[in-house]
Amino acid sequence: MENRFVMHLVLFGLLAGFVLTAYSWNKTAEANGGVVQAVNHIETENGQDGAAAPSGEEPAAATKKIALTFDDGPGKYTEKLLDGLKERNVKATFFVIGLNAESHRDTLKRAAEEGHLIGNHTYNHVRLIKMSVGDACTELRNTNELIFQITGQRPVYVRPPYGEWSDALSGSCYMTRVLWSIDPLDWSIHNTEQIVEHVVEHAKDGSIILLHDVFEESVDAALEIIDRLQQMGFTFVRIDQMGENPKIHVN
Ligand code: NI
């Protein structure tokens, strides 16, 4: 898929080069007067055709959607992240652990108040498929109840720990499962630049980025990722603004 992106870049570059050349020929023709009138006419037409294509592609580039998701918080770096998101006017999705929500109530409340989407990452970071369906649903329901008490939002999205989920859980717990498409393993590498490079290299329309706001390197990386990807024409959205996506599974 990256090849396709590179192809587009190359084609765009060629096209832009052609338009510029056509434009300068046009200018030369104008300066030379009527002798080159016929040539001028042809080049102007080609220039117009050439100009139409990139301007037609620009809106598409501006609507490339991408989602930042943060697991395992809230934690002690979440406030720093919220400050950075606010500065950049970017909304994200937080899949919080119930236990951490208990100990960082104000942070979670702030995240919700500032327009971020709050999702469920279980109460104790458990492996849902290793439990009975009834216990798993109770774990999710208790977490939803806590999040509702703190934020007034009742979560509909769940990020199951380790991505472990089943059709039985979908059928019984009535939550929408959200996986991810870009995983820089931030929790393991703890290196801001490597996290940023991995995400920027793999970013495409519809990507869901997985990060953990309990690590400072991940928070720093997230803010740098936003700056880099916005320059590349990406718009950051919450999971509920993503539209249909293979990583988002509704029952
Ligand atoms: Ni987790």
Side-chain angles (χ1 to χ4, degrees), residues 154-187:
R154 202 175 288 282
V156 295
Y157 295 95
V158 56
R159 158 94 24 92
Y162 317 103
E164 296 176 343
W165 191 249
S166 68
D167 288 343
L169 291 171
S170 282
S172 302
C173 304
Y174 305 107
M175 294 200 74
T176 299
R177 180 222 66 187
V178 181
L179 297 181
W180 57 86
S181 46
I182 302 181
D183 180 5
L185 300 177
D186 62 318
W187 56 272

CSV table of all heavy atoms in Angstrom, one decimal, residues 154-187:
chain,number,residue,atom,x,y,z
A,154,ARG,N,-21.8,7.2,28.7
A,154,ARG,CA,-21.9,5.8,28.9
A,154,ARG,C,-21.2,5.2,27.6
A,154,ARG,O,-21.7,5.3,26.5
A,154,ARG,CB,-23.3,5.3,29.0
A,154,ARG,CG,-23.4,3.9,29.6
A,154,ARG,CD,-24.9,3.5,29.8
A,154,ARG,NE,-25.5,4.3,30.9
A,154,ARG,CZ,-25.4,4.0,32.2
A,154,ARG,NH1,-24.6,3.0,32.6
A,154,ARG,NH2,-26.0,4.7,33.1
A,155,PRO,N,-20.0,4.6,27.8
A,155,PRO,CA,-19.3,4.1,26.7
A,155,PRO,C,-20.0,3.0,25.9
A,155,PRO,O,-20.7,2.2,26.4
A,155,PRO,CB,-18.0,3.4,27.3
A,155,PRO,CG,-17.9,4.1,28.7
A,155,PRO,CD,-19.3,4.3,29.1
A,156,VAL,N,-19.8,3.1,24.6
A,156,VAL,CA,-20.3,2.0,23.7
A,156,VAL,C,-19.2,1.2,23.0
A,156,VAL,O,-19.4,0.1,22.5
A,156,VAL,CB,-21.3,2.6,22.6
A,156,VAL,CG1,-22.5,3.1,23.2
A,156,VAL,CG2,-20.6,3.6,21.7
A,157,TYR,N,-18.0,1.8,23.1
A,157,TYR,CA,-16.8,1.2,22.5
A,157,TYR,C,-16.0,0.5,23.5
A,157,TYR,O,-15.7,1.0,24.6
A,157,TYR,CB,-16.0,2.2,21.7
A,157,TYR,CG,-16.7,2.8,20.6
A,157,TYR,CD1,-17.4,4.0,20.7
A,157,TYR,CD2,-16.8,2.2,19.3
A,157,TYR,CE1,-18.1,4.6,19.7
A,157,TYR,CE2,-17.5,2.8,18.3
A,157,TYR,CZ,-18.1,4.0,18.4
A,157,TYR,OH,-18.8,4.5,17.4
A,158,VAL,N,-15.5,-0.7,23.2
A,158,VAL,CA,-14.6,-1.4,24.0
A,158,VAL,C,-13.3,-1.8,23.2
A,158,VAL,O,-13.4,-2.2,22.1
A,158,VAL,CB,-15.2,-2.7,24.6
A,158,VAL,CG1,-15.7,-3.6,23.5
A,158,VAL,CG2,-14.2,-3.5,25.5
A,159,ARG,N,-12.2,-1.6,23.9
A,159,ARG,CA,-10.9,-2.1,23.4
A,159,ARG,C,-10.5,-3.3,24.3
A,159,ARG,O,-10.1,-3.0,25.4
A,159,ARG,CB,-9.9,-1.0,23.4
A,159,ARG,CG,-8.4,-1.4,23.3
A,159,ARG,CD,-7.7,-1.5,22.0
A,159,ARG,NE,-8.1,-0.8,20.8
A,159,ARG,CZ,-7.6,0.4,20.4
A,159,ARG,NH1,-6.8,1.1,21.1
A,159,ARG,NH2,-8.0,0.9,19.3
A,160,PRO,N,-10.8,-4.5,23.8
A,160,PRO,CA,-10.4,-5.6,24.7
A,160,PRO,C,-8.9,-5.7,24.9
A,160,PRO,O,-8.2,-5.6,23.9
A,160,PRO,CB,-11.0,-6.8,23.9
A,160,PRO,CG,-11.1,-6.4,22.5
A,160,PRO,CD,-11.3,-4.9,22.5
A,161,PRO,N,-8.5,-5.9,26.1
A,161,PRO,CA,-7.0,-6.1,26.4
A,161,PRO,C,-6.5,-7.2,25.5
A,161,PRO,O,-7.2,-8.3,25.3
A,161,PRO,CB,-7.0,-6.5,27.8
A,161,PRO,CG,-8.1,-5.8,28.4
A,161,PRO,CD,-9.2,-5.9,27.4
A,162,TYR,N,-5.3,-7.0,24.9
A,162,TYR,CA,-4.7,-7.9,24.0
A,162,TYR,C,-5.5,-8.2,22.7
A,162,TYR,O,-5.2,-9.1,21.9
A,162,TYR,CB,-4.3,-9.3,24.7
A,162,TYR,CG,-3.8,-9.0,26.1
A,162,TYR,CD1,-4.6,-9.2,27.2
A,162,TYR,CD2,-2.5,-8.6,26.2
A,162,TYR,CE1,-4.1,-8.9,28.5
A,162,TYR,CE2,-2.0,-8.3,27.5
A,162,TYR,CZ,-2.8,-8.5,28.6
A,162,TYR,OH,-2.3,-8.2,29.9
A,163,GLY,N,-6.5,-7.4,22.5
A,163,GLY,CA,-7.4,-7.6,21.3
A,163,GLY,C,-8.2,-8.9,21.3
A,163,GLY,O,-8.8,-9.3,20.3
A,164,GLU,N,-8.3,-9.5,22.5
A,164,GLU,CA,-9.0,-10.8,22.6
A,164,GLU,C,-10.5,-10.6,22.8
A,164,GLU,O,-11.0,-10.1,23.8
A,164,GLU,CB,-8.4,-11.6,23.8
A,164,GLU,CG,-7.0,-11.9,23.6
A,164,GLU,CD,-6.3,-12.6,24.8
A,164,GLU,OE1,-6.9,-12.6,25.9
A,164,GLU,OE2,-5.3,-13.3,24.6
A,165,TRP,N,-11.3,-11.1,21.8
A,165,TRP,CA,-12.7,-10.9,21.8
A,165,TRP,C,-13.3,-12.0,21.1
A,165,TRP,O,-12.7,-12.8,20.5
A,165,TRP,CB,-13.0,-9.6,21.0
A,165,TRP,CG,-14.4,-9.0,21.1
A,165,TRP,CD1,-15.3,-9.0,20.1
A,165,TRP,CD2,-15.0,-8.4,22.2
A,165,TRP,NE1,-16.4,-8.4,20.5
A,165,TRP,CE2,-16.3,-8.1,21.8
A,165,TRP,CE3,-14.6,-8.2,23.5
A,165,TRP,CZ2,-17.2,-7.4,22.7
A,165,TRP,CZ3,-15.5,-7.6,24.4
A,165,TRP,CH2,-16.8,-7.2,24.0
A,166,SER,N,-14.6,-12.2,21.2
A,166,SER,CA,-15.3,-13.3,20.6
A,166,SER,C,-16.7,-12.9,20.2
A,166,SER,O,-17.2,-11.9,20.7
A,166,SER,CB,-15.4,-14.5,21.6
A,166,SER,OG,-16.3,-14.2,22.6
A,167,ASP,N,-17.3,-13.7,19.3
A,167,ASP,CA,-18.7,-13.4,18.9
A,167,ASP,C,-19.6,-13.5,20.0
A,167,ASP,O,-20.6,-12.8,20.1
A,167,ASP,CB,-19.1,-14.4,17.8
A,167,ASP,CG,-18.4,-14.1,16.4
A,167,ASP,OD1,-17.9,-13.0,16.3
A,167,ASP,OD2,-18.4,-15.0,15.6
A,168,ALA,N,-19.4,-14.4,21.0
A,168,ALA,CA,-20.2,-14.6,22.1
A,168,ALA,C,-20.2,-13.3,23.0
A,168,ALA,O,-21.3,-12.9,23.5
A,168,ALA,CB,-19.7,-15.8,23.0
A,169,LEU,N,-19.1,-12.7,23.1
A,169,LEU,CA,-19.0,-11.4,23.8
A,169,LEU,C,-19.8,-10.3,23.1
A,169,LEU,O,-20.5,-9.6,23.7
A,169,LEU,CB,-17.5,-11.0,24.0
A,169,LEU,CG,-16.7,-11.9,25.0
A,169,LEU,CD1,-15.2,-11.5,24.9
A,169,LEU,CD2,-17.2,-11.7,26.4
A,170,SER,N,-19.6,-10.3,21.8
A,170,SER,CA,-20.4,-9.3,21.0
A,170,SER,C,-21.9,-9.5,21.2
A,170,SER,O,-22.6,-8.5,21.4
A,170,SER,CB,-20.1,-9.4,19.5
A,170,SER,OG,-18.9,-8.9,19.2
A,171,GLY,N,-22.3,-10.7,21.2
A,171,GLY,CA,-23.7,-11.0,21.3
A,171,GLY,C,-24.3,-10.8,22.7
A,171,GLY,O,-25.5,-10.4,22.9
A,172,SER,N,-23.4,-10.9,23.7
A,172,SER,CA,-24.0,-10.8,25.1
A,172,SER,C,-23.7,-9.5,25.8
A,172,SER,O,-24.4,-9.1,26.7
A,172,SER,CB,-23.3,-11.9,26.0
A,172,SER,OG,-23.6,-13.2,25.4
A,173,CYS,N,-22.5,-8.8,25.5
A,173,CYS,CA,-22.2,-7.6,26.3
A,173,CYS,C,-22.6,-6.3,25.6
A,173,CYS,O,-22.4,-5.3,26.2
A,173,CYS,CB,-20.7,-7.6,26.5
A,173,CYS,SG,-20.0,-9.1,27.3
A,174,TYR,N,-23.1,-6.4,24.4
A,174,TYR,CA,-23.6,-5.2,23.7
A,174,TYR,C,-22.7,-4.0,23.7
A,174,TYR,O,-23.0,-2.9,24.0
A,174,TYR,CB,-25.0,-4.8,24.3
A,174,TYR,CG,-26.0,-5.9,24.4
A,174,TYR,CD1,-26.3,-6.5,25.6
A,174,TYR,CD2,-26.6,-6.4,23.2
A,174,TYR,CE1,-27.2,-7.6,25.6
A,174,TYR,CE2,-27.5,-7.4,23.2
A,174,TYR,CZ,-27.8,-8.0,24.4
A,174,TYR,OH,-28.6,-9.1,24.5
A,175,MET,N,-21.4,-4.3,23.3
A,175,MET,CA,-20.5,-3.2,23.1
A,175,MET,C,-19.8,-3.4,21.7
A,175,MET,O,-19.8,-4.5,21.2
A,175,MET,CB,-19.4,-3.2,24.2
A,175,MET,CG,-20.0,-2.9,25.5
A,175,MET,SD,-18.7,-2.3,26.7
A,175,MET,CE,-18.4,-0.7,26.1
A,176,THR,N,-19.4,-2.3,21.2
A,176,THR,CA,-18.7,-2.3,19.9
A,176,THR,C,-17.2,-2.4,20.1
A,176,THR,O,-16.6,-1.6,20.7
A,176,THR,CB,-19.0,-1.0,19.1
A,176,THR,OG1,-20.4,-0.9,18.9
A,176,THR,CG2,-18.3,-1.0,17.8
A,177,ARG,N,-16.6,-3.5,19.5
A,177,ARG,CA,-15.2,-3.8,19.7
A,177,ARG,C,-14.4,-2.9,18.7
A,177,ARG,O,-14.7,-2.9,17.6
A,177,ARG,CB,-15.0,-5.3,19.4
A,177,ARG,CG,-13.6,-5.7,19.6
A,177,ARG,CD,-13.2,-6.7,18.5
A,177,ARG,NE,-13.2,-6.0,17.2
A,177,ARG,CZ,-13.0,-6.6,16.0
A,177,ARG,NH1,-12.9,-7.9,15.9
A,177,ARG,NH2,-13.0,-5.9,14.9
A,178,VAL,N,-13.3,-2.4,19.3
A,178,VAL,CA,-12.4,-1.5,18.4
A,178,VAL,C,-11.0,-2.1,18.5
A,178,VAL,O,-10.4,-2.1,19.6
A,178,VAL,CB,-12.4,-0.1,18.9
A,178,VAL,CG1,-11.5,0.7,18.0
A,178,VAL,CG2,-13.8,0.5,18.9
A,179,LEU,N,-10.5,-2.6,17.4
A,179,LEU,CA,-9.0,-3.0,17.4
A,179,LEU,C,-8.2,-1.8,16.9
A,179,LEU,O,-8.5,-0.7,17.1
A,179,LEU,CB,-8.9,-4.2,16.6
A,179,LEU,CG,-9.6,-5.5,17.1
A,179,LEU,CD1,-9.4,-6.7,16.2
A,179,LEU,CD2,-9.3,-5.8,18.6
A,180,TRP,N,-7.1,-2.1,16.2
A,180,TRP,CA,-6.2,-1.0,15.8
A,180,TRP,C,-5.5,-1.5,14.5
A,180,TRP,O,-5.5,-2.7,14.2
A,180,TRP,CB,-5.2,-0.7,16.8
A,180,TRP,CG,-4.4,-1.9,17.2
A,180,TRP,CD1,-3.3,-2.4,16.6
A,180,TRP,CD2,-4.7,-2.9,18.3
A,180,TRP,NE1,-2.9,-3.6,17.3
A,180,TRP,CE2,-3.8,-3.9,18.3
A,180,TRP,CE3,-5.8,-3.0,19.2
A,180,TRP,CZ2,-3.8,-5.0,19.2
A,180,TRP,CZ3,-5.8,-4.0,20.1
A,180,TRP,CH2,-4.8,-5.0,20.1
A,181,SER,N,-5.0,-0.5,13.7
A,181,SER,CA,-4.2,-0.9,12.5
A,181,SER,C,-2.8,-0.5,12.6
A,181,SER,O,-2.0,-1.0,11.8
A,181,SER,CB,-4.9,-0.4,11.3
A,181,SER,OG,-5.2,1.0,11.4
A,182,ILE,N,-2.4,0.4,13.5
A,182,ILE,CA,-1.0,0.8,13.6
A,182,ILE,C,-0.6,0.6,15.1
A,182,ILE,O,-1.1,1.3,16.0
A,182,ILE,CB,-0.7,2.3,13.2
A,182,ILE,CG1,-1.2,2.5,11.7
A,182,ILE,CG2,0.8,2.6,13.3
A,182,ILE,CD1,-0.9,3.9,11.2
A,183,ASP,N,0.4,-0.3,15.3
A,183,ASP,CA,0.9,-0.5,16.6
A,183,ASP,C,2.4,-0.4,16.7
A,183,ASP,O,3.1,-1.3,16.3
A,183,ASP,CB,0.5,-2.0,17.0
A,183,ASP,CG,1.0,-2.3,18.5
A,183,ASP,OD1,1.5,-1.4,19.1
A,183,ASP,OD2,0.8,-3.5,18.9
A,184,PRO,N,2.9,0.8,17.2
A,184,PRO,CA,4.3,1.0,17.2
A,184,PRO,C,5.0,0.3,18.4
A,184,PRO,O,6.2,0.5,18.6
A,184,PRO,CB,4.4,2.5,17.3
A,184,PRO,CG,3.2,3.0,18.0
A,184,PRO,CD,2.1,2.0,17.6
A,185,LEU,N,4.3,-0.4,19.2
A,185,LEU,CA,4.8,-1.1,20.4
A,185,LEU,C,5.5,-0.1,21.3
A,185,LEU,O,6.5,-0.3,21.9
A,185,LEU,CB,5.8,-2.2,20.0
A,185,LEU,CG,5.3,-3.3,19.1
A,185,LEU,CD1,6.4,-4.3,18.7
A,185,LEU,CD2,4.2,-4.1,19.8
A,186,ASP,N,4.8,1.0,21.5
A,186,ASP,CA,5.3,2.1,22.3
A,186,ASP,C,5.6,1.7,23.7
A,186,ASP,O,6.5,2.2,24.4
A,186,ASP,CB,4.3,3.3,22.3
A,186,ASP,CG,3.0,3.0,22.9
A,186,ASP,OD1,2.4,1.9,22.6
A,186,ASP,OD2,2.4,3.8,23.6
A,187,TRP,N,4.7,0.8,24.3
A,187,TRP,CA,4.9,0.3,25.7
A,187,TRP,C,6.2,-0.4,25.8
A,187,TRP,O,6.7,-0.5,27.0
A,187,TRP,CB,3.7,-0.5,26.0
A,187,TRP,CG,3.5,-1.7,25.1
A,187,TRP,CD1,2.8,-1.8,24.0
A,187,TRP,CD2,4.1,-3.0,25.3
A,187,TRP,NE1,2.9,-3.0,23.4
A,187,TRP,CE2,3.7,-3.8,24.1
A,187,TRP,CE3,5.0,-3.6,26.2
A,187,TRP,CZ2,4.2,-5.1,23.9
A,187,TRP,CZ3,5.4,-4.9,26.0
A,187,TRP,CH2,5.0,-5.6,24.9
